[in-house]
Amino acid sequence: MYLEIVSPEATLFSSEVDSVTVPGVNGEFQMLNNHAPIVSLLKDGVIKIHTHTQSHLAFDSLHSQVVPHADDDKVLTVTINSGTLEMKDNKAIILAD
C-alpha cells in the first residue's frame, strides 16, 4: 500500500509500505494492503511504518521527524500531536499535526 504523511510544513513521508500502525482516538490500530476504506481521527502518539526495506528512503533535514526504530530496522516512527487518516484504494493519507 502507499502511505503519505503530510504536515502543515511539508510532506514528511511518501512511499510504498507493508503496513502502518496509528494511534486512533479509540486505540491503536494497524492497516495492511487492501484494507477497507476508513476515515479516522488520530490522537497524540507514534505512527509506526513497517517497510520491506529502507534502502530507497532519504533521512535528511526535511524528513527529520521520520526516525528509524531502535529495535527493528524495518520500522520507522513519526511522533504526532493529532491528525486525520483516510485510507481508500490502497492509499493511506495522514494529515498530521
Side-chain angles (χ1 to χ4, degrees), residues 1-6 11-22 31-35 38 47 49-51 56-57 63 85-94:
M1 86 174 157
Y2 193 82
L3 173 65
E4 189 170 25
I5 303 175
V6 180
T11 299
L12 303 177
F13 183 86
S14 182
S15 181
E16 286 287 328
V17 299
D18 292 338
S19 67
V20 62
T21 304
V22 295
M31 292 175 297
L32 302 167
N33 280 334
N34 301 312
H35 193 283
I38 186 173
I47 299 171
I49 306 163
H50 302 265
T51 62
H56 65 288
L57 301 175
H63 303 96
L85 161 83
E86 179 186 19
M87 172 75 168
K88 183 179 176 185
D89 298 329
N90 221 27
K91 181 177 182 181
I93 300 173
I94 297 175

Side-chain angles (χ1 to χ4, degrees), residues 8-85:
E9 294 83 26
T11 299
L12 303 177
F13 183 86
S14 182
S15 181
E16 286 287 328
V17 299
D18 292 338
S19 67
V20 62
T21 304
V22 295
V25 292
N26 293 323
E28 185 177 83
F29 64 96
Q30 183 180 47
M31 292 175 297
L32 302 167
N33 280 334
N34 301 312
H35 193 283
I38 186 173
V39 173
S40 178
L41 293 175
L42 305 177
K43 66 177 185 174
D44 64 315
V46 176
I47 299 171
K48 296 175 191 159
I49 306 163
H50 302 265
T51 62
H52 184 67
T53 178
Q54 293 182 16
S55 62
H56 65 288
L57 301 175
F59 298 105
D60 53 24
S61 61
L62 178 63
H63 303 96
S64 61
Q65 291 178 292
V66 179
V67 180
H69 193 273
D71 297 331
D72 190 344
D73 64 349
K74 292 184 180 178
V75 177
L76 303 171
T77 61
V78 179
T79 302
I80 62 169
N81 295 322
S82 64
T84 305
L85 161 83

